[in-house]
Structures are given as C-alpha cells and as structure tokens.
Amino acid sequence: LERFVLVDDTWASLLAGRTSVEEVVELFGRLAPDERDTSVWRRIASALGELRRLAGADHLATIEQLVARLARPVLDELDGAIDANGSGGHEAAEDDGTARCRELRGVVFSLAGRDGGDTEVRERARGLVLDDDDPALRAAATDVVAASATAEEHQELERRWRAATTPQEELRLLNALIDTPDPECFAH
C-alpha cells in the first residue's frame, strides 16, 4: 500500500508543480525492477500513460524509451515465470501466485505495447487478441492492438464491441477503441 501511495502522491506532486519529471522518473526507475504488486504497476502505468499524453509528440520517443527500460525486463521475467509454471493452458487449479503473476503480466504487457511502442509486444498482441486463454493477457492485447490499430483492426474491434455478450467485454472494447490513434478510423 505504501508504494502505491508513494507513486500516487509523487505523481500528484508533479501535476501540482512541486516535483520534477526527473524525480518521478527516478522513483519509477527505483521501484520498477523489484515491484511485483499489480496495483502499484497499474498506478505506474497510468502515470506513464498520462506523461505520454502530456509530453506530446515531440517527446514520444523519450517516453517510449523510458517505458521500455522500466517494463520490458519485468515483462520478460513474468513471461519466464509463467512459462516455467506450465502456461500451456489456464489451469483451473492454478495457484493464487500464478494468477497474480498473470494479472501483473497483463498490466506490464499493456504498458510496454501501448505506451512503450514495443513492436515485438504489438505483434504478439495481434496474435493474442482473439486466441489467448489468459483473460488478463487477452485484455492487455486488446489495449495494445487498439493503441496501434490499422483501419481494419479498428473495424474488427468495433465489430466485437457491438457484438459483446457481457457488459464487461463491451466496456473493455469501448475503452480500448478510444486509444485508436488515427481519427480517420472513427469517420464512418
């Protein structure tokens, strides 16, 4: 809880003009390598997404490099841990640690592909968005694909949103569609 509050308070302090971007980056750099709490990573990811939007196109490459430096080592470690525990299928008897690991992987995967612009993660997401049996990874893959969607991918996500069978799926897809970068995708 204290690490979540530290991230949240530091981000609020940045927005209030009392903390520099460099201090926020330093904090994230210290926390990220060893942090394995999903709620802390969700807050880090949210702050980095906001930073990306606030920084604008002129600083996109810098933000993507920062996100890659923070997220990619953690994502690789989580992929390895899940693979070591037998990730061939989403076992019903999966222990709580593996379930938390999968949830954290979804958060970090989404961050790396969406805000980090990781081309390998984006390609992997395109293969996972429909087929993966890991709900957290499928949701993250949907976010990643939407954030770099072609017109055809946007239309497919929109089709899936309109055909959603649960309110959760409908909202997940609608929220993902908002991140489609090309405004022309919405002109129909």
Side-chain angles (χ1 to χ4, degrees):
L1 179 64
E2 61 277 351
R3 293 180 316 277
F4 177 91
V5 172
L6 178 62
V7 170
D8 194 52
D9 285 353
T10 303
W11 181 253
S13 182
L14 171 86
L15 294 177
R18 293 189 298 264
T19 299
S20 70
V21 170
E22 291 79 12
E23 290 172 302
V24 172
V25 169
E26 180 182 349
L27 173 65
F28 291 177
R30 288 177 186 233
L31 285 177
D34 299 317
E35 185 58 60
R36 297 302 174 268
D37 185 291
T38 303
S39 62
V40 175
W41 266 104
R42 283 188 199 285
R43 188 61 190 111
I44 290 171
S46 174
L48 288 170
E50 291 175 53
L51 182 61
R52 182 173 184 255
R53 285 185 282 285
L54 291 171
D58 293 344
H59 301 286
L60 181 60
T62 302
I63 301 299
E64 287 180 345
Q65 290 170 359
L66 169 64
V67 170
R69 182 171 48 89
L70 298 176
R72 192 56 198 241
V74 176
L75 178 59
D76 291 343
E77 177 190 317
L78 294 168
D79 279 340
I82 291 169
D83 288 345
N85 284 334
S87 67
H90 190 67
E91 296 85 19
E94 183 176 76
D95 71 7
D96 191 45
T98 304
R100 283 194 311 270
C101 190
R102 286 179 186 272
E103 183 180 357
L104 177 57
R105 178 179 61 176
V107 171
V108 178
F109 184 92
S110 181
L111 175 63
R114 188 188 63 235
D115 297 314
D118 188 313
T119 55
E120 184 180 317
V121 169
R122 286 180 172 183
E123 285 307 309
R124 186 173 161 202
R126 284 177 168 82
L128 295 171
V129 74
L130 295 176
D131 298 330
D132 199 272
D133 64 345
D134 180 339
L137 193 55
R138 185 177 53 249
T142 300
D143 289 343
V144 169
V145 169
S148 60
T150 64
E152 294 79 24
E153 288 167 332
H154 179 86
Q155 286 177 345
E156 175 58 21
L157 289 171
E158 188 175 330
R159 185 199 64 73
R160 289 179 49 218
W161 163 63
R162 293 183 189 285
T165 58
T166 66
Q168 295 85 354
E169 182 181 15
E170 182 179 350
L171 284 174
R172 181 174 47 81
L173 288 162
L174 185 58
N175 285 326
L177 284 165
I178 292 168
D179 285 335
T180 301
D182 183 1
E184 292 298 315
C185 291
F186 295 97
H188 60 270

